[in-house]
Each structure stands twice: as C-alpha cells, then as structure tokens.
Amino acid sequence: MTTTETRTPTLTPQERDLMHAYWRAANYLSAGQIYLQDNPLLRSPLRPEHVKARLLGHWGTTPGLNFVYVHLNRLIRQSGASVLYIAGPGHGGPGLVANTYLEGTYSELYPDVSRDEAGLRRLFRQFSFPGGIPSHAAPETPGSIHEGGELGYSLAHAYGAAFDQPDLLVACVIGDGEAETGPLAGSWHSNKFLNAARDGAVLPILHLNGYKIANPTVMARLPRAELEALLRGYGHEPYFVEGDDLPGMHERMAATLDAVHAEILAIQRRARQDGVTERPRWPMIVLRTPKGWTGPREVDGKPVEGTWRAHQVPLSEVRRNPAHLAQLEEWMRGYRPEELFTEAGALCPELAALAPQGDLRMGANPVSNGGLNARSLDLPDFRAYRAEVPVPGGVDSEATRVLGTYLRDVMSGNMDRFRLFGPDETASNRLDAVFEATAKTWEDETLPVDEHLARDGRVMEVLSEHLCEGWLEGYTLTGRHGLFSCYEAFIHIVDSMFNQHAKWLRTSRDLPWRRDVPSLNILLTSHVWRQDHNGFSHQDPGFIDHVMNKSADVVRVYLPPDANTLLSVADHCLRSRQYVNVIVAGKQPSPQWLSMPEAEAHCAAGLGIWDWASSDRDGPPEVVMACAGDVPTLETLAAVDLLRGAFPDLRVRVVNVVDLMTLQPHTEHPHGLRDADYDSLFTTDAPVIFAYHGYPWLIHRLTYRRRGHANLHVRGYKERGTTTTPLDMTVLNELDRYHLALDVIERVPRLAVQGARTKQALQAQLRRHRQYIEETGEDLPEVREWRWTTRGE
Amino acid sequence: MTTTETRTPTLTPQERDLMHAYWRAANYLSAGQIYLQDNPLLRSPLRPEHVKARLLGHWGTTPGLNFVYVHLNRLIRQSGASVLYIAGPGHGGPGLVANTYLEGTYSELYPDVSRDEAGLRRLFRQFSFPGGIPSHAAPETPGSIHEGGELGYSLAHAYGAAFDQPDLLVACVIGDGEAETGPLAGSWHSNKFLNAARDGAVLPILHLNGYKIANPTVMARLPRAELEALLRGYGHEPYFVEGDDLPGMHERMAATLDAVHAEILAIQRRARQDGVTERPRWPMIVLRTPKGWTGPREVDGKPVEGTWRAHQVPLSEVRRNPAHLAQLEEWMRGYRPEELFTEAGALCPELAALAPQGDLRMGANPVSNGGLNARSLDLPDFRAYRAEVPVPGGVDSEATRVLGTYLRDVMSGNMDRFRLFGPDETASNRLDAVFEATAKTWEDETLPVDEHLARDGRVMEVLSEHLCEGWLEGYTLTGRHGLFSCYEAFIHIVDSMFNQHAKWLRTSRDLPWRRDVPSLNILLTSHVWRQDHNGFSHQDPGFIDHVMNKSADVVRVYLPPDANTLLSVADHCLRSRQYVNVIVAGKQPSPQWLSMPEAEAHCAAGLGIWDWASSDRDGPPEVVMACAGDVPTLETLAAVDLLRGAFPDLRVRVVNVVDLMTLQPHTEHPHGLRDADYDSLFTTDAPVIFAYHGYPWLIHRLTYRRRGHANLHVRGYKERGTTTTPLDMTVLNELDRYHLALDVIERVPRLAVQGARTKQALQAQLRRHRQYIEETGEDLPEVREWRWTTRGE
C-alpha cells in the first residue's frame, strides 16, 4: 500500500479552498438536477412547487465522482495531460452533467442550457424529465463513452480507449458495486495487454463508497490486507485516499494524483526512452469516501450519509413533507451557492478558472467523441485477395482463411488504428495470415515455444469474450477500427454488451454533435453446422435473432456463402460507421460459388437469383430454393443437383440471401426489399424452400407480411444437435440435401406421382447415411466428394 | 504460499506405485478414447484400421484432470469424505469417462460398456463418435453437473452445489484458460457467501498447465508473487503443487490434499463446534503441470508436451502417417496396459481397490445426480396469500410484494433446500417480506447500519447476475430449489448461461438414469415498461425471445397480469422439475383483475377470454383485444373501457394470455393450443389487436401458422425508449390505451365512419398527453387515476 505522505502540502490554502468551492458547486448542481425545476439558485425560499413531481436519480455515488473530476481538472491544468474520464457508476449522471456544465462544454453543445440562471433552470429541469436527459451518463453527456447503466464494462472500455493513444490518460472510476461483476473482475488483467510504449495509460480509481442499492459491497468490507493483496495480485500499486475529513481529503487526493501521474510518466519514460520492456506495476487509486458524501446525514431519524440509504434520492417526500423540504433547502444552501455563482447565475470567474481550457476539458476531449475526425482505414483492394472461381463450385476454399490474407494487409496498412480481437481463436478461426503482419499482444514473459507473441503485437487474444467486446467498444467509440472474431455459440456471452452498445449507437444518431464512430464488426465463425465435433454446447445460432431485436438503424447481419462474398462484405463493413455488423462465415474447406465480379454484384444487391444454378428460363419457377449461410447454400445446391438429375424438366429457381435485412419490408429496414421486388424474386405462388443458417422462425418473422409467405417453408437449426458429423448435423435438423429435395417433391404438385421413386431413393439414402456414420463415424463418400456439376442453362 | 513439506512421506512406496499405475490406466483410457476404435488393449500391433477416421478430443488438460481424480480417490478412501468433482476444463471429457469407468460407475449406468475388452472397445469407439458420447463432460458423464464447453462457470457451480450440504467437499478444477473469463474471475468472491457451519466446502484447484488453444495463459505467466497475492486477495491460502517429476508429484499432491483437507475440517470444526464466525481463509491448490503431461514430447520435430500444441490431438495423422502411428503405439504402450488390465480386460484387482466404494465413488455421488431422491419443497397454500379482488380492477396491489409474502413462507418452510438469489435487488423488486424469514448471507464484517444481513442468511445477493445464475444452477442440479429475481433488461447478462443450462436439461431428459432436477426459476421484474425512470439502457424485453429458441421440452414463459395469477404461476413453477421457468411480473401498484379462483382457472388454461371485460355475448366479436403482460393488460382494459364508452354496442372480446407457449401449434409445444381451440378464442376472421409485453414479432413467430394470423395486429416494445413516464413508454411504442383504441377503430369496418369523432378525440388526447408531461413531467391525471368500471354484461 502507498499512502502519499503530505509533509509539504501539494495545495496552497487558497487553491484548496477554490477547489473545495468548485466541488461544492458540482455537488450543488448535482442535487439541483435531482430535485429542482425552478428557483435554481435558491434566490427565494424553497417552496414545494420548485421541486419536481417525480424525484429520480442517484445521489450516492455522485459526490465522489465530482471529487475525482475536480481533482483531475487540477491535474490537467498543471500537467497538460489529455484525460478521458470514464465513470463506471454511470448512474451518477448528475455529476458528469454538472461538471461538463461548470467547465463550459455543456453549454457549447446545448446552447439553450446557457451559463446563467435560465440555463441553470433548464439544466435542473431536463434531468430525468420526459423529453430531457437520462439519469445516467449517456450519449447525451459530453465527454462520455460509457453509460454505466448495466454495470461491469468500465475498465474494459478504458483499456479499449487507451490502446494506440500514447498520450492519453484514461481515468476510470470503478464503483465497488460494479467491482463485484464478472466482467469487471476479469477486466483487471487488461493491464497484461497494454504496452507502455505504444498505448496510453489507464488509471483505475476504485471508489469504495461501501454500499450498493441495499447491501454493503464485497470490496469495501474486505480486510485491508486482503484488498491490498488483491490489487497487487492484479498487477497494480494501490494508493489509498480514505476519509471524509475536509480539507484533508483534498490535500491527500491532490498529492496522490500528482504521485500516480508522476509514476505513470516515469513508467512511460522507461518504456519509451530507456527501452524497458518488463510489464510495469501500474499505479491505481483506492478512494474510500462516504456514500452520499455531504448529503443529509440523517433523514427521519435514520442515518443516510455513508449508508446504502444514500443510493438514490435521500429525501423522497420533499413536495409533501415540509420537514423534508426544509432539510433539502438546508442541505443545498449548505453549499453556499451565493458564493459560487454570479448575480447572472454564471460560475464565479475565479472558480471557472479552475477548469482546463478547450479540448483539455474532459467534456470536450476529442477522444470521447469518436476521436472527432477519426481517420478511416486505408484499405487494400479486397478483390486482390479473391479466390479464383472459374466455374461455380469448381474450387474449394476456406472462407475465413482467404479473409485472413485480406485482414493481414488491412492490419499492415493501419498499424495505428486497426486491431483484431478474439478469445484465443484467431488461428483456430483460420485468420492466422494476420500473424505475417503483426503478433499477438503479450506483455508478460515469453518462452521459446510461444508463437506470434510480442509486446507490440496488435492481435488481442484473451479467453474472455467480455474483454474482447469491451476493448473493441472502447476502441471504436474513440474512433478506431476493429474486428472481433468469435465462435458463434459463445458470442451470446456478450449479448447484453451488444444490447448496450447498440442502444448507445442508436441514441448517438439523434445527437448532431456526436460524430459517427467506426462500426463494431463481429465475425461469427466456427458456426453451428460445423461444431459437430464439439457437440451440443457449441451449437447455437441465436445471436442473429438477438441482434434483429435492436433498432434497424444500427444493426446489419450478413451471411456470405463463400470466400469472395465474405471479402466483399468485410470491405463494406470495415468502411461503415455507426453499425454493429454481424458476419457469419465458415472456416472449413467448401466449394466456392461466385467469381469476384459476381460476388460484388451479389453483395451489393444483398440477395439475388443464381441463374447458373436455376432452371426456370422457360417459365415461372415451380419451386424457389432459397438459402442463406454457407452450409445451407451448399445443401441447397446439392439438392438442386439431385432434383435436376431426377427431373430434368423441373423449373427450379435458386435465390441466395447474403444480407438478411433485405427480407424485411422496406418500411421496417432501410435494406428491406420493396414488395414488388420481393415478389419478383420469390414469386407469390410457388413453394419456397428456404434453407437458413439459424433458427428457422426468424425467416418467418422477417417475411410474415410478404404475399407469398404462406408458401414459405423454412429449414434451419431447430436445436437438434449432438457430437456427430457435419452432414448429420444437417440431417438431424432436416436441412440436408435429401430432406430439401424431399421437401420439393412434397410441395410441387406434379411430383406427387412423378417423384415417387425419387422420394424412395432419397429416403433410402438417408437410411444409408445413418448406417454409414454409425459404422465408420464419417459421412457418406458421395457427400464428402460431391461437387456442383450441373451447368446453367 | 504454502508448499507442503514432505519429511515423512504421505504415501508408502507401494501405495505410490499403485496410484501411479491407476493414473497410467486413466491416461491410457483417455488416449484410447481419442484414438482407437479397435484393439483397445493393444494385444496386437497397432494398425491404421484400429484408429478412428476422425480424431477428436482434448488431450492437453486430461492427464491433469486424471491426476486430481486419482488423488481425490485416495482422499475419499482414507477420510470417507463425500466429494463432488467439477472439471472446469470439461472438454477434458475423456478423463472423466476414463475414471468413472475405472471405478465401475460407468458400466453400472451403461451396462454395454462392460468392464472387459468388449466394453473397452465400446468405450473407446463411442467417444466423440456419431451416436456415441460428447467429447466434453456432459449430462451423459456420470458424476458430472458441469459441462465446461463454454468456460467460466465451474466455480459458481461448485459453490451452488456446496450450499446447504455441510458434509460435501466440492473439488473444483479451474483451468487457467477458464480463469481468464469474467464470470470465473468474479466467482472467486463466492467464498464471502459460504457459511462454514452450514455449507459444505469448496476446494478450488487452479490447474496451471500453461496454455490455451494457441496462447499462454495469463495466470500461468504471472510472476509468482503476483499470483500468490491475487489468490490471497481472493481470500484463499494457496498450496502449490508444481512439477512433472514422478513419483515426486504423487507424494506432494497426496501430502497437500491431506493438508488442505485437514485444514478444511479444522475450519469446519471451528465454525461448527467452537462457534467461530469470522470468515476463514479457505485453502486452495495451485497445480502446475505440463499440458499434455505424459503425452508425446515432440511430434514432427516440434515440442508438444508442455506446450499449446498438446491442447487437442497431439498426433493428427495417425491413419496416414506410419511415423505417427508408431509414435501413438509407443506412447500408449508406455502406460504398460498389460500391467493394468487382466486377461479379460478388467482393471487389475489391486488397482480397482484404489477406487472408493459405492456412493463414495465420485461418479456415483448422489449429489451429482440431482441429489437422487431430492426432496420437493414443502409449499404453503398459495391461495392464502391472495389479494382480495371483490370486483375486477377494484383494488390495487404490487404483484411482487404479494409474492414476497408467499416466498417468505416458502423460505421458512424449507430452510434446508430453498434459496432466493438476486443482484442486490430483492428489496428493490419488493420481495422484502422474505427478510421476515431469513436474512441475506454475509460472512464479512457487519455494521450497525446494515439491514437484514446474517452469516446464516439464505437470500443470496451479490452484484453479479453470473453468480446468481451459476449458484442457482449448481444448487438445483444437486437437487435443491430456488428463484432468481432480476431486472428484466439485465438478465441478458446470463443469456449464454441459460443456453447451456437449457441444453443440459434437454440432454438429461434422454438419459433414463438422470433424475429430474428442480426447475430453474427466473423472475423478471423491474421490467421494460416500468424502467421509464432508468431510461433506455434498462429497457429490454428480449430475454423471452432468447428463451423461446430453446427446446420446447425445457422452457416455459409466464406473464401473469396481476398478483393472484403470479401466485398461482409461482406455485406451479416451484413444484415443477427439469424446466427453466421464466416469469415476467410487475412490482408497481396496479389494478388487480382476478380473484384467486379465477386466477387459478386462468393459469391452468394458460389463456382465456375475460368475460367480465368482453361485450360479445350477443354475437361474434367484431374485434378481439388480446394481451399478455401486466402493463399491456392494463392498457388493453383501459382501451376497452374507452371503446365501450364510445361505442356501447361494439362487440369486443378480451383474451388474456399468461402462458406464452399456448400460442404455438400443439405440434410445436406441449402447451400449444389445438387449432380449433385457438380459432374459438381468437376467431378466424375478426381483427385481433394484441398488446404484448415484449418485441411484437415474437407473437407473429408463434402464431404465423394460425388461420387468423393475417388479422393479427401486434403492439409491443419496438425499441423506442428513453427517460420518461410510464404512460409515455407505452405511447412511444404505440401500446397505450389511445393507440390501441385507434387500432380498433381502424380495423373494425363499421367504425370507419361511425368512429371518426372518437378517433379525433383519441388523437387529441395523445397531444394532450405530450403537452402535459412536457409541462409537469407526469402522466395525465385521468390515466394515473383510471380504474376499470365497466361491468360485464
């Protein structure tokens, strides 16, 4: 433990008093936001009608957040450091709003919330008020990249922001409630992936205010020795600032911030100038202050300050209970607003001078607004990486391996602003060509047997989907680019993180001052159909369904069927902004269908008829075989192959869907097809056999308003899985070529009789399959060796 | 750090040699499962056709898992301890199968896998083979409650299993890969919630084999001092067993296990006999061994043993590459199977004697099979807790608060087998009546200001949805009962854990020897419609969609509209087994609709016409107003009230849905209505305005095959949210009474003209609403004060 000794005071008495006054102003504005809709400067006695009808907000964490903010302001002024402030307890929104208002950024972005009494009234009234602003740090909050409504991701976001920003200091306040979450607990080890020479610094400030909503926190009640051991075990040198004595706390916080900042600069100097490569012991601060510090000590005879009762609104009956009203007035007047604000209602100039200027204000740090003019990626021409496809199905390729060669050059062309993230799966997902451009980040010891590890590597591998997602969120929200590749089934680990990020992006779209940030790109591979060997626990294509619930403005889902379409989609996604792009693609050797020009055209349309596989030139199709996903496409084409062999005159149309959003009505999604276009592809009367990668009902959900919906028959994953073979996975779920062909025979009227023999043959083939795998553990040779041979008409 | 000194050897040389031989047998059988389909005892030279065509499985972690198993066997034999073995690296399935086979449990449960050469052949062949068994520890694996396919939950499961089982020792092997995940990192603090007097013990065994799939692990590369600090910070006393020297490792592991077991017994004695209440420093073991220990040292000139290359199948070309084949034979013969197995192929008797007997065998521990004959809950009559509802809408009540009184008595009647879990939200979710029966578990210091904390409390509160879910999974899988209450939006944090648990339950259903376990009950409250004050980040009803993707055999979703229906549903869920039950219910004061007899009948049917609200006695309904969820029900009834006031002759039918599964075809779900029944409720031709709690498309997905689907118009949450008022949340999503009434006017043909004035009035009312909340921040008084007054016909 380190407690900064204060022999020579860090602060002059005057400086200390001014900082204290600034903090009082922040606390005053915080309480004002929670309570008042009028009389913002208490220029008249407080009356019930000055108080909002609904009292909402979280007071408890706020004075601590304000305390940190005020002290960081001093550090910035003194050192010129660029500081990003992340408030893990983002529900302390009033504090961040108060501080960005005091420093002036708020009024610059929202001119109607001016720096005068009228502006103060608006500031107070809008908080947690319909049509106003949320009670949490939100996209609306200047300087924020982190909402903190759903707890757990502050530290991961902080590291994501710090990567590749060598001059940035990310101050991350971690609530002791949040510290109990799994994702936060896992995030401490992020320091093993931060390079002191190349990346910025993260300063974790563990804020022990002792209580959650109704309980003490684990961290705050740990015996001191255990807490210290834990933080050292995380690789940090903890500095403790503890108490509620004033001005002592100011003095100790200032001295401690100076000390940790000096230590951070020393670490960076050693790494950058002296070439020290050993992972440093980064400093951190443990700030122990009372919950609801400076708020009411007791309410109705019960202790509040320093207890869980201070969590939200300490005085809840203010409008009805005169004693509460009086106590609120006493509390707020205790901050002496008349000393803090001018007659016009502006912050007094000697206090305003305590804030940093311009972009150094934490509410104005460009990093927090997508890096403001963040640079796009310098992308190579994806066409150069194409698989040569002389004829459809003529060659095999591994789609993600091809993508890897493209990503290698994306990486080498953007060594300051592109990273690849994955839970120990980059090679397993066959993207390992990137290791020709860079290694995996690793700051601890390496051994001769290790491969592709380097302290300055740019591939981020850690066995935590939470960290991959959180780092990437922080990285893109600060204007950089990346791709997270993940086993499809395990992306559900970050379902809720995706939710929160999508909501952030959605809300940001409505804020003119928020710059678009690079999209968050997720590549799902090792997908459900090829997890036959890992079994049922690894088989889950439901993330797509989850994504589709979010606003159409911000989500995109692509299912490229082969390598060239994957390249085209990836290029598109890496250029895009303000989306979550989900790409599902296989890694196994598979037939390639489209040449690069065909792939580009197909991806641009999002879906289309594959003429070369269709046989409907001479009349309307008798059946439409639709497919989305690589394995469904393969099985569909194999079924078409079978059918066209058996029924040479059958008019089959093959439609492949890359962009799932096209299936929706265009009124629901900007990519959605107009009904006429949909009808011309799928017809309004022919049976449509749709082989889909995921849960079949999603296709129904997307198309139930289409005219031909009643004719739509979807095959997909229906939660039948086990440890078996690739073909058998499709057979279990009736998505295989034989079942698809049987579906056609069943649904094309004239095949009822004509198809009887073929039907028997297909059923026999299914029995043969069952017998063969039971004997050999392998799929039928004719399935493994099948290649598309039918030529287009 | 503690390393057990071995002055006096723990093992006699003979004992040591026998244990080593037993371990060799386990390793031999593990390798055999991965590679062989014939010649299981290598009685003839190994030939390519003895080897499986597809080589699958994870060798790397397996020898370590076997090592631990063999040593736990000794501990059990010596001490008579009841030990549950949890393998965090569950992908080391071959090891658990091998050991349960060696101890005899496997053949008892699967008689065809007999303890002879034929059984060995089957044992080998079935592994990761179509129609056989998964490569992970799975429901099929005797003694397992944990799959370990998706990493992160072993330690939470271990604690869940240990709660309320004072005589149980849960040995939990944590892989150093898994240790990087957030959920695992957060799980270490579970020891703050384990009561040494009442609960069993958890012995974490952190297995540092150094590598994941392709990378070193963070934990294995931490400097020793940091690792020790971390583990002490977690509240443990670490005992290190490190190396690869034999027989030294056996001696040190045995001595260490004896020491930690003695320490555990001493802790329990102090707590149980001496009344010591201070949280103990529980021992744990750090086992550092080479990955793929005893496997091939080098393959094709590259190091394998002790490296990431040992993760899966060290020799991959065995069938094609004679050198690999020879190396496999040499490796397997190195275990000297001829010394381990009898002529008949049974384990030699002197080795078989090393396994514990009967239920003490870890594969046969009754705890691992749902507690075998786990006791049901002793439930009070839920009717006794009813809200008195003299007339529909006549009284207000808070549904979850009423539920709380019932849960209080469920708790007090089942103090050995029922627990309540929640992330710091039991009181916030208004279930706080339970604190009359018991407190919240808290093993650390308490302060006077704390409320409802006790070392022997039975309400488990920690700010980690992962821990709540993981503990409850472990608790129910070992035969006990519980309820997890959670904010609706944040249940997505455990989406993937739900997936894995549902898959476990699904697979278990097919295993005759697996006993049904109590259902996992999730109560979602503080739901989307009443998170107006917390804002957009707290608004997400998508967990229901997520749940509906899983097998109909194991998932149930209930949306009780009031307190009495909630009581009835809760009673049903607490009696059920082998499901995940999701209940969505409100906590805010709301009108009550059904008396208890009505509620019971309604819940038994799952849905039904509310005659008292309907006006279709004199003819077929002109419109069906359907609703599911408490807020949609309220808004629907308010809309009906408006409509019946405006159009006294309108024939409206109100259908309320409690059990969402009833909407599906009965061919899809056992609760699904037959078409005729569906048609008689919803009609086949009247417009149906369906007000639904969640994302509207789910209702379409469930009903798209129904005859009347084209007439179905669903309102629900369409991802429009912000910080606002309760009514405004429904207005933003067009689920409010005014929009619902407008929907009816639009869809009932004769109202096109007749309804024009009402339509204008409703639109004016919506404008009034907007204006009123902008002025006051509150909902219209007539909405806040609205009560159902229309009498049934």
Side-chain angles (χ1 to χ4, degrees), chain A residues 174-298:
Chain A
I174 300 159
D176 47 353
E178 179 179 22
E180 293 178 18
T181 67
L184 197 293
S187 297
W188 291 102
H189 290 299
S190 298
N191 56 18
K192 280 86 196 175
F193 299 87
L194 184 97
N195 181 297
R198 173 191 55 183
D199 302 322
V202 173
L203 174 63
I205 301 171
L206 178 62
H207 186 203
L208 302 180
N209 70 25
Y211 295 90
K212 298 169 289 201
I213 302 180
N215 284 297
T217 61
V218 169
M219 288 285 177
R221 295 283 170 94
L222 288 186
R224 178 59 165 266
E226 253 181 51
L227 178 62
E228 276 188 51
L230 184 64
L231 300 174
R232 287 174 180 277
Y234 286 144
H236 283 290
E237 179 64 34
Y239 289 67
F240 285 77
V241 180
E242 304 174 282
D244 62 355
D245 56 307
L246 293 167
M249 283 292 284
H250 286 301
E251 175 57 31
R252 296 200 295 282
M253 185 66 176
T256 301
L257 266 182
D258 281 357
V260 300
H261 188 237
E263 178 56 20
I264 286 168
L265 293 178
I267 286 170
Q268 292 176 333
R269 207 163 37 238
R270 286 196 292 274
R272 297 169 190 186
Q273 291 166 26
D274 310 341
V276 171
T277 57
E278 206 180 336
R279 171 164 60 82
R281 173 171 291 276
W282 292 97
M284 64 166 289
I285 294 174
V286 179
L287 175 65
R288 194 189 295 266
T289 64
K291 186 152 186 156
W293 195 12
T294 73
R297 293 225 164 176
E298 284 197 359

Side-chain angles (χ1 to χ4, degrees), chain A residues 54 215 461 495 532 539, chain B residues 54 215 461 495 503 532:
Chain A
R54 298 177 83 208
N215 284 297
E461 292 220 334
D495 273 5
D532 47 286
Q539 296 161 0
Chain B
R54 299 177 81 207
N215 283 296
E461 291 218 337
D495 273 4
K503 283 173 183 277
D532 48 286

Side-chain angles (χ1 to χ4, degrees), chain B residues 9-31:
Chain B
T10 306
L11 303 174
T12 65
Q14 191 203 4
E15 199 176 7
R16 201 183 62 196
D17 291 348
L18 283 172
M19 286 177 69
H20 185 63
Y22 197 103
W23 184 47
R24 279 158 41 212
N27 289 338
Y28 179 83
L29 295 189
S30 301

